[in-house]
Amino acid sequence: MPPSHRGFAASAGAVALALALASTGAAAQASDAAADGSVLKPCRIEGVSTEVQCGRLSRPLDPTQPQGRRIDIHFVVVPAMARNKQPDPVVLLAGGPGQSAIALAGTVMPRLSRLSYRRDLVFVDQRGTGRSAPLDCSDDSPQTLKEALEPGRRDRMLDACRQRLQTLPYGDLRQFTTTIAMQDLDAVRQALGVQSWNLLGASYGTRAALEYQRQFPQRVRRNIIDGVAPPDMVLPASFSQDGQAALDAVFSHCEADAPCKARYPTLRADWQALLRSLPKTVTLQHPVTLRSEEVTLTRETLMSAVRPPLYVPTLAAALPEALHEASQGRFNALGALAGITGGGGPSRLYTGMHFSVICAEDFPRLATATDAPGTDFGTLDREQYTRACQQWPRGDVPAAFYSIPAAQHPVLLLSGGADPATPPRHGARVAKALGPMARHVVVPQAGHGVALTLSCMRDVLFRFVDAKDDADALKVDASCAERIPRPTVFLPPTPETVEAAASAARAAERAREARRTSLPSSPETAR
């Protein structure tokens, strides 16, 4: 779930399960193709140095009209390295909503190297992303900061994008929901001739994984959901509350850390004073041109810059200094932190797919959401999604989509205690619903993402998937991650600390020299 977008990676969609029969014919044809190997062809993809296998599968755009318009679902299989491989692949369900799984393959593969030794890795571009009927709203036109931050600009661009997307051959934006997409995913499974497979869902991908498991429980051998975004989570409401909790934790940690408190004794009060002063004219450095520009800073813009670093604890450790600088009228440090987690490259979002999912699944339940708005984030997210979703076509979501049936096979839930988007409270609720076949691991000091972020978790994932027995899978030891400490607060150097460090270096050098001169002479020297 890329923090650069006002979504975290959670949401999903729908259309009745009775419609599954409508796609049976296409799935059967795909299985026939798999039998003679024609469903896969050797290919190369960006970020992966070795040859992989690419496939595509024709699917009805609208499952209720199997003879109508069709789209191609693209997928990639990275073959297991071992000749004697296991029959159950690992399939990645990307975040967003709106990320391309295939685009993430190059980043993810090195972290799954042990799993991929005896199991194929499968990457499927969910409809609306990557190569599968993409719903792209990217704007690559050069722009000044003043243009980028112009009030109402984002809403106007999104509205223009919606109208453009609706002119595409596959532009029925109601057909890009999670329920339909998971039916596509199972058709890929059939095309590959796989009886069951292991799911690895991250952020929004956890919601997709839960929906796949709800529809096709017998096709899931093991399920890993990292940064749990359940179907009953109302994104615009929960996003404010969870982001606020993560920001408050940054202030509390600074207040409990003696050096941080001494350096920034009034940090929380200074932050509140800055919020009260908005909107105001400030000078910002353009992240690309590096030119300084005068712009009007609004509360919305400021909170947009504060949220991204919260996703990554090592970046959040630098927030006290960045917020202190901002309170003094200097915003470049905060802008740099926000830019580090920007949503370019493999993590980019297909915005049209994002809103097709959120507007169908989350927005209709916004009025009854019980999450209280965060003190600082307030209702900004609610207002933005409300403006967008009022015009966005919304797919039908079956009532069963919001339920979480008891798991029939092991599910490993992973939550970061410092996650501003999918904190442990959501994972705990899902683990309870899934029942005794679920194990919830909370890493107190982790941010958004545990499985593919923390190096020690690679072995945990392997042992969970590789365990022959369900009971052994659920007993996997993940204590290595649970003991990871919170990163030390970043404090920039001062003349005093620079001198102290230099003095310590000089003392160390004197000690080394003293040891050298006190060594006894060698026999050769004595002669």
Side-chain angles (χ1 to χ4, degrees):
M1 144 193 188
S4 60
H5 194 280
R6 300 239 176 223
F8 60 165
S11 210
V15 139
L17 284 180
L19 305 177
L21 289 176
S23 58
T24 301
Q29 293 171 7
S31 296
D32 292 341
D36 64 13
S38 61
V39 72
L40 291 174
K41 296 180 180 180
C43 67
R44 291 188 177 274
I45 59 174
E46 187 174 355
V48 179
S49 59
T50 58
E51 187 177 82
V52 296
Q53 300 287 313
C54 291
R56 62 179 179 180
L57 192 62
S58 177
R59 296 285 295 161
L61 175 64
D62 180 353
T64 65
Q65 317 242 344
Q67 306 306 318
R69 174 88 51 190
R70 303 185 74 81
I71 60 174
D72 285 339
I73 301 299
H74 288 254
F75 54 96
V76 165
V77 177
V78 181
M81 291 181 285
R83 187 169 299 176
N84 182 25
K85 69 178 183 180
Q86 296 294 329
D88 47 289
V90 175
V91 57
L92 177 76
L93 300 172
Q99 283 186 323
S100 158
I102 294 176
L104 293 171
T107 303
V108 170
M109 280 177 54
R111 306 176 191 185
L112 298 177
S113 57
R114 194 173 179 192
L115 269 175
S116 67
Y117 182 71
R118 295 192 64 192
R119 284 180 168 84
D120 293 346
L121 301 181
V122 182
F123 301 87
V124 181
D125 272 350
Q126 185 169 327
R127 58 169 60 198
T129 73
R131 308 175 190 180
S132 301
L135 299 178
D136 192 7
C137 288
S138 62
D139 175 33
D140 299 323
S141 60
Q143 36 183 276
T144 65
L145 286 176
K146 184 176 181 180
E147 291 170 334
L149 300 178
E150 180 185 350
R153 181 178 184 274
R154 182 180 302 158
D155 294 339
R156 293 192 297 272
M157 289 183 62
L158 187 61
D159 187 60
C161 178
R162 173 186 57 78
Q163 295 181 50
R164 180 179 60 79
L165 293 177
Q166 288 179 292
T167 67
L168 296 173
Y170 50 85
D172 184 351
L173 302 180
R174 300 169 301 169
Q175 308 303 330
F176 293 82
T177 59
T178 309
T179 297
I180 299 176
M182 293 306 99
Q183 293 168 10
D184 294 338
L185 184 65
D186 196 63
V188 172
R189 178 195 61 78
Q190 294 180 58
L192 294 175
V194 172
Q195 287 298 110
S196 65
W197 50 11
N198 308 282
L199 307 183
L200 173 54
S203 200
Y204 160 73
T206 68
R207 184 182 284 193
L210 288 169
E211 172 61 1
Y212 182 87
Q213 181 170 286
R214 181 186 73 81
Q215 293 191 63
F216 309 102
Q218 295 304 318
R219 302 306 179 185
V220 179
R221 177 180 173 272
R222 302 276 159 80
N223 191 357
I224 301 165
I225 49 178
D226 180 16
V228 185
D232 62 351
M233 180 186 194
V234 184
L235 170 59
S238 67
F239 209 31
S240 176
Q241 183 180 110
D242 294 334
Q244 187 67 51
L247 179 59
D248 288 343
V250 170
F251 288 118
S252 297
H253 183 60
C254 183
E255 291 161 353
D257 180 79
C260 188
K261 184 176 182 179
R263 186 70 176 267
Y264 314 112
T266 60
L267 182 62
R268 199 185 295 255
D270 293 343
W271 164 250
Q272 292 300 322
L274 173 60
L275 287 175
R276 289 193 298 271
S277 72
L278 302 178
K280 68 177 182 180
T281 301
V282 302
T283 300
L284 295 179
Q285 188 178 58
H286 195 288
V288 177
T289 66
L290 301 183
R291 295 174 181 168
S292 294
E293 300 181 29
E294 278 199 350
V295 299
T296 299
L297 182 67
T298 65
R299 189 186 190 98
E300 177 183 341
T301 302
L302 180 61
M303 299 313 298
S304 298
V306 167
R307 177 173 276 144
L310 294 172
Y311 280 68
V312 185
T314 52
L315 297 183
L319 267 177
E321 167 65 12
L323 296 182
H324 170 73
E325 285 285 291
S327 72
Q328 302 300 306
R330 299 182 293 270
F331 295 89
N332 288 342
L334 183 57
L337 280 180
I340 288 175
T341 49
S347 65
R348 62 170 290 197
L349 282 187
Y350 287 80
T351 309
M353 181 274 201
H354 179 90
F355 282 97
S356 290
V357 168
I358 299 296
C359 294
E361 299 163 13
D362 294 73
F363 178 69
R365 305 174 68 245
L366 185 57
T368 58
T370 57
D371 290 318
T375 304
D376 301 333
F377 286 96
T379 59
L380 293 174
D381 300 302
R382 180 188 295 255
E383 293 164 4
Q384 288 178 7
Y385 278 100
T386 295
R387 292 194 298 270
C389 291
Q390 282 176 340
Q391 301 297 324
W392 206 272
R394 297 197 288 273
D396 295 326
V397 181
F401 169 78
Y402 298 104
S403 65
I404 302 175
Q408 300 180 22
H409 302 282
V411 181
L412 180 63
L413 301 91
L414 304 171
S415 297
D419 188 343
T422 55
R425 70 184 183 105
H426 301 294
R429 186 169 75 254
V430 173
K432 183 178 180 180
L434 290 172
M437 294 301 287
R439 163 97 180 276
H440 186 204
V441 174
V442 177
V443 183
Q445 304 303 339
H448 188 60
V450 173
L452 300 178
T453 303
L454 306 179
S455 58
C456 82
M457 286 301 298
R458 299 172 192 178
D459 185 58
V460 174
L461 298 189
F462 170 77
R463 287 186 283 111
F464 176 76
V465 172
D466 200 56
K468 305 301 181 188
D469 182 79
D470 286 352
D472 289 340
L474 291 170
K475 289 187 294 187
V476 63
D477 181 10
S479 58
C480 65
E482 295 169 352
R483 295 192 298 265
I484 291 175
R486 188 182 185 99
T488 303
V489 175
F490 167 75
L491 299 177
T494 64
E496 293 77 16
T497 59
V498 170
E499 175 55 33
S503 177
R506 290 192 295 268
E509 178 59 31
R510 287 195 297 270
R512 286 192 294 270
E513 182 62 27
R515 286 195 296 272
R516 283 196 297 269
T517 57
S518 64
L519 290 175
S521 300
S522 67
E524 291 78 5
T525 302
R527 287 198 297 269

